[in-house]
Amino acid sequence: MGVLRILVMVAAAVILAFVGFYAYLGGFSNVEASRGSFEETEIIFAVHKGPYQQVYRAWESFDAAREEVGLEACDGLSVYLDGPETPREEARTVIGCGIDNVTEDLKEALRARFPSTVLPSAEAMTATFPYKNPMSFAIGPMKVFPVLQERMAAEGHEASLGIETYGDVDAITEMTYYLPFGVAQGAYAPLYDAFE
């Protein structure tokens, strides 16, 4: 068997493996956007400025700190304050845990340790994407947000930010995405102010 034939076979195997892995992650799945709502949620949070691919660093320190305070299960979310046209180094992401379902004593301890705010209820375009492994954090937004933005534009709405929720961050099975609309920008001021 010639060297060229072997190289072609190896290249084909690599491509097939990549395509199969991408399919496993949901890369070829159809995303269905629908009108829904984001429910009011109180969160504690931390911030990250820079490439989305580096948000995990902020999560690592945030997770350690919230566990220290006593929040063992995090109802996790990320809020993307900037669109894809923003330079990577300027992109602002808020990470956090919902605290509506914890005791008042724990809420007070968490509010004392972290910035907190209430994300308002809002109408939103929404869609889900399966979680398979950490690569899903990269593929999900790339697949989902363009579909949501297209639906928003078709209905004449504008979103000021994007929200991605995970449920229990230690047992994620699905990610849900929201583009809220009809909410005054000032409702999210604490998130923007945290970067000043």
Side-chain angles (χ1 to χ4, degrees), residues 7-188:
L7 289 175
V8 168
M9 290 174 65
V10 169
V14 169
I15 291 168
L16 283 173
F18 175 80
V19 169
F21 186 59
Y22 186 69
Y24 165 74
L25 292 172
F28 298 116
S29 62
N30 289 327
V31 173
E32 297 290 331
S34 62
R35 248 179 118 140
S37 61
F38 180 84
E39 299 302 320
E40 180 178 283
T41 305
E42 182 177 2
I43 64 168
I44 55 164
F45 65 91
V47 299
H48 168 78
K49 187 174 183 179
Y52 295 131
Q53 296 86 347
Q54 295 175 6
V55 172
Y56 73 91
R57 295 177 183 165
W59 270 111
E60 287 175 352
S61 57
F62 178 71
D63 272 341
R66 57 100 176 166
E67 287 175 1
E68 270 181 26
V69 178
L71 184 62
E72 294 179 8
C74 173
D75 185 11
L77 56 77
S78 294
V79 183
Y80 303 107
L81 301 183
D82 300 298
E85 72 286 351
T86 305
R88 291 173 40 149
E89 297 304 321
E90 298 300 314
R92 296 166 297 175
T93 306
V94 174
I95 60 172
C97 299
I99 60 170
D100 291 329
N101 297 320
V102 304
T103 67
E104 284 302 319
D105 287 346
L106 182 52
K107 279 184 187 177
E108 288 303 316
L110 291 164
R111 290 176 187 139
R113 173 66 176 79
F114 300 97
S116 65
T117 191
V118 175
L119 299 178
S121 60
E123 287 188 88
M125 291 303 171
T126 183
T128 60
F129 194 78
Y131 177 84
K132 300 293 187 179
N133 65 36
M135 286 294 295
S136 299
F137 293 128
I139 293 176
M142 289 190 305
K143 288 281 294 182
V144 175
F145 281 127
V147 174
L148 294 181
Q149 289 167 332
E150 184 178 324
R151 176 80 181 266
M152 291 276 282
E155 295 195 13
H157 301 299
E158 287 188 21
S160 56
L161 49 73
I163 302 172
E164 179 180 24
T165 64
Y166 315 115
D168 183 348
V169 295
D170 294 321
I172 304 171
T173 59
E174 185 175 72
M175 301 174 292
T176 303
Y177 299 83
Y178 302 88
L179 288 183
F181 57 88
V183 179
Q185 184 83 10
Y188 301 107

Side-chain angles (χ1 to χ4, degrees), residues 1-10:
M1 187 179 297
V3 172
L4 182 58
R5 187 173 176 188
I6 292 172
L7 289 175
V8 168
M9 290 174 65
V10 169

